[in-house]
């Protein structure tokens, strides 16, 4: 049995085999299932026919990573690295070949140096642990990462990572200043020893392609003591289409301190009970209500934002609030397994980038699709770009979606119960809506965000995949940066040990 040989190999390679063995789980261990399921977010990937790892290793030391990589290679097992487990296609814990999961749950120290405004974070940490440790020391410092706190810093920063501060400070990947990395040969590298090409690739080229990032050195940024959050919801009868139409051409020009979003979802009309659509306009603004109101009056008076729609809070409180935990204790940020109340148990994610405002007729068609029964638990969110994103060159990191984008679309097709007919209905809706949107969004390539992983846009073969084939999905995520990523891959992992359905292929 390959995994028996693998386990034997691990015991030979470790200098602390009795304590290491406690960090290794096979289906024979009573805690295997709870370890595996601990961070599975999307229950689509927790069914009886989801392939399961032969072994889960939860390293505490660098030598455990070295032994696991060595023994996996030797015994022909694939490894999947799992940080927060939020991959939208489950690639950190599902594979269709015999495989081992390296789960970073025990490798998650966070060391914040307020004076120098940097933090070293091991990649098993979740964003919440990082945010909490920063807030513990200062409420006017933060990190420019994603919103929901259980996201792992391993996968998130590897794929760029955007959140409340991205129009002011860029992606999470833009805020990495050094890293500790282990390659296929077990070598431990930092920025200096890995060189600028690999350091460039790991800050946005997607997780699971080059090796394992063990820790990031991150830049900590300033936020004001008071930020303001608002949401204003408007139905079709309240001119939602006209307002969204207007928002499209002004939101990307809002000041960098804004994080303008519009969420679209269906509701039952209070008048006749039929389905209609509500558009919720929101932002977290880095400033007070008194600063925000005149700005909105000047830029977007049609929305009619009033003082009652706004709430002042600290930046760290806005993180909780934006993910559905308003007024909860900050300690929730340390909870790795809690689910956001605003997510459905099953979902399919897709993304698009918009360069020209969509016509009112185009928006009408999208709104009308949202009133389908299959979209009852679906949310579509527009995130305005602009700000510093327009000023960072496309090749500064592998994340290429910079100047020229008005906004990004996040399609979250959700459902509450799983059975084959049900999931097919929702997946069909998601794919049909994506086709419907084709004329209105970026083209050649139709851009997509790697952290919103979507295997529908193309994937690798189980065996050899050519660079040309991988370019189909690769150029959508990375545009012209894809070629440089493939060069880095060829140099650091030519045998393609670290691979998955959308890993960067070597050039051979
Ligand atoms: P996970 O552990 O699943 O890893 C993702 C990929 O990276 C896998 O291929 C994995 O093997 C690899 N990987 C993990 N750790 C690695 C390491 N140390 N070294 C190398 N490779 C590694 N995104 C966003 O930008 N802004 C947001 O606000 C949100 N919000 C959000 C909310 C919720 C509820 C979900 C489920 C997801 C998001 N996302 C998001 C998307 C999120 O950024 C994306 O799924 C990240 O890849 C998740 O990182 P994890 O470490 O949690 O995932």
């Amino acid at each position: 049995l390959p995994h028996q040989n693998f386990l034997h190999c691990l015991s030979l390679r470790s200098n602390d085999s009795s304590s290491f063995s406690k960090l290794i789980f096979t289906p024979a261990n009573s805690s295997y299932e709870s370890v595996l399921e601990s961070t599975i977010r999307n229950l689509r990937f927790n069914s009886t026919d989801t392939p399961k790892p032969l072994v889960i290793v939860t390293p505490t030391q660098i030598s455990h990573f070295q032994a696991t990589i060595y023994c996996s290679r030797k015994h022909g097992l694939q490894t999947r690295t799992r940080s927060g487990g939020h991959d939208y296609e489950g690639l950190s814990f599902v594979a269709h070949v015999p495989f081992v999961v390296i789960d970073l749950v025990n490798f998650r120290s966070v060391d914040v140096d307020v004076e120098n405004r940097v933090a070293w974070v091991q990649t098993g940490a979740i964003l919440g642990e990082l945010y909490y440790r920063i807030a513990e020391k200062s409420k006017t410092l933060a990190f420019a990462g994603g919103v929901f706190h259980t996201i792992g810093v391993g996968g998130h920063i590897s794929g760029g990572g955007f959140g409340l501060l991205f129009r002011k400070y860029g992606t999470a990947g833009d805020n990495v200043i050094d890293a500790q990395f282990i390659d296929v040969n077990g070598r431990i590298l930092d920025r200096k020893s890995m060189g600028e090409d690999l350091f460039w690739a790991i800050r946005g080229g997607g997780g699971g392609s080059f090796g394992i990032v063990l820790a990031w050195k991150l830049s900590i940024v300033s936020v004001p003591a008071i930020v303001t959050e608002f949401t204003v919801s408007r139905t079709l009868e309240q001119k939602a289409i006209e307002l969204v139409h207007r928002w499209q051409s002004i939101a990307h020009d809002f000041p960098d301190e804004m994080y303008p979003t519009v969420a679209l979802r269906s509701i039952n009309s209070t008048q006749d009970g039929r389905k209609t659509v509500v558009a919720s306009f929101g932002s977290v603004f880095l400033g007070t209500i008194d600063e925000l109101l005149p700005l909105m009056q000047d830029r977007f008076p049609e929305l009619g934002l009033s003082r009652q729609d706004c709430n002042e809070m600290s930046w760290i409180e806005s993180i909780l609030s934006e993910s559905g935990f308003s007024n909860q204790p900050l300690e929730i940020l340390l909870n790795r397994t809690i689910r956001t109340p605003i997510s459905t148990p099953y979902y399919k994610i897709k993304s698009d980038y918009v360069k020209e405002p969509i016509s009112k007729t185009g928006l009408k068609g999208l709104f009308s699709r949202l009133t389908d029964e299959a979209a009852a638990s679906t949310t579509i969110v527009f995130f305005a770009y602009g700000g510093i994103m327009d000023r960072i060159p496309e090749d500064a990191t592998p994340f290429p979606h910079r100047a020229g984008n008005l906004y990004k679309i996040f399609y979250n097709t959700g459902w509450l119960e799983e059975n084959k007919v049900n999931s097919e209905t929702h997946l069909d809706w998601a794919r049909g809506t994506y086709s419907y949107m084709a004329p209105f969004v970026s083209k050649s390539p139709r851009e997509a965000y790697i952290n919103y992983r979507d295997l529908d846009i193309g994937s690798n073969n189980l065996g050899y995949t050519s660079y040309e084939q991988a370019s189909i999905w690769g150029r959508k995520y990375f545009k012209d940066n894809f070629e440089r990523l493939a060069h880095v891959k060829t140099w650091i992992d030519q045998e393609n040990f670290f691979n998955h359905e959308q890993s960067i292929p070597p050039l051979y």
Side-chain angles (χ1 to χ4, degrees), residues 136-372:
E136 216 175 27
K137 296 196 169 166
S138 165
K139 293 280 190 302
T140 55
L141 292 177
F143 176 67
V147 173
F148 191 55
H149 78 263
T150 52
I151 300 170
V153 302
H156 183 64
I157 301 179
S158 296
F162 87 98
L164 302 181
L165 300 173
F166 90 110
R167 296 181 74 259
K168 173 102 181 144
Y169 293 113
T171 65
D174 295 335
N175 288 279
V176 174
I177 44 189
D178 204 339
Q180 189 187 36
F181 177 88
I182 180 166
D183 75 359
V184 63
N185 295 311
R187 287 185 306 163
I188 308 300
L189 306 171
D190 65 3
R191 178 173 185 167
K192 193 153 177 261
S193 55
M194 76 177 76
E196 287 302 307
D197 273 344
L198 179 56
F199 183 64
W200 172 87
I202 60 176
R203 288 174 295 146
S209 280
F210 305 102
I212 301 175
V213 179
L214 298 174
W216 303 109
K217 185 180 185 185
L218 305 172
S219 185
I220 304 300
V221 298
S222 294
V223 287
I226 296 177
V227 307
T228 302
E229 181 186 61
F230 74 80
T231 311
V232 176
S233 295
R234 296 285 184 255
T235 58
L236 284 176
E237 296 71 35
Q238 296 166 316
K239 299 201 175 316
I241 291 191
E242 288 74 7
L243 289 169
V244 175
H245 186 253
R246 173 97 185 111
W247 179 94
Q248 296 179 98
S249 38
I250 56 173
H252 73 287
D253 279 334
F254 281 177
D256 301 4
E257 288 69 29
M258 297 278 287
Y259 171 72
T261 59
V262 187
L264 308 177
R265 55 180 80 84
S266 72
I267 53 165
N268 293 326
S269 156
T270 46
Q271 279 156 18
D272 56 12
R274 283 207 298 209
K275 287 221 177 292
T276 182
V277 174
V278 64
S280 301
F281 298 82
S283 180
V284 169
F285 167 67
L286 300 174
T288 61
I289 298 182
D290 287 338
E291 290 164 316
L292 174 67
L293 287 176
L295 181 92
M296 289 297 285
Q297 182 54 34
D298 181 39
R299 303 286 183 106
F300 196 15
E302 304 89 327
L303 186 64
L305 181 73
S306 73
R307 193 168 282 274
Q308 291 71 40
D309 302 317
C310 303
N311 274 313
E312 286 185 344
M313 58 190 75
S314 64
W315 185 82
I316 192 78
E317 286 164 346
S318 75
I319 281 286
L320 283 180
S321 179
E322 288 284 300
S323 47
F325 296 110
S326 355
N327 303 320
Q328 302 280 328
L330 289 189
E331 282 61 36
I332 281 210
L333 295 169
L334 303 175
N335 184 328
R336 298 176 68 85
T337 52
I338 196 166
R339 302 182 67 81
T340 163
I342 52 185
S343 171
T344 52
Y346 305 92
Y347 45 86
K348 169 73 191 162
I349 306 296
K350 290 181 167 292
S351 59
D352 261 321
Y353 282 87
V354 179
K355 318 247 177 202
E356 300 285 340
I358 301 175
S359 64
K360 284 186 193 162
T361 319
L363 289 173
K364 236 186 213 161
L366 177 63
F367 277 50
S368 148
R369 294 191 66 88
L370 272 167
T371 59
D372 286 357

Side-chain angles (χ1 to χ4, degrees), residues 39 41-42 65 79-88 90-93 102 104 123-127 145-164 181 206-216 259 340 343 347 349 383 408 410 449-453 500:
T39 57
R41 317 303 309 185
N42 190 343
F65 289 93
T79 63
R80 294 290 168 109
T81 307
R82 182 165 74 169
S83 170
H86 284 49
D87 191 286
Y88 281 132
L91 300 191
S92 55
F93 57 90
I102 300 182
L104 301 168
T123 47
I126 56 172
L127 284 173
V147 173
F148 191 55
H149 78 263
T150 52
I151 300 170
V153 302
H156 183 64
I157 301 179
S158 296
F162 87 98
L164 302 181
F181 177 88
S209 280
F210 305 102
I212 301 175
V213 179
L214 298 174
W216 303 109
Y259 171 72
T340 163
S343 171
Y347 45 86
I349 306 296
F383 293 94
K408 176 182 66 189
F410 168 68
Y449 174 33
I450 177 88
N451 267 347
Y452 291 173
R453 177 139 14 235
H500 57 68

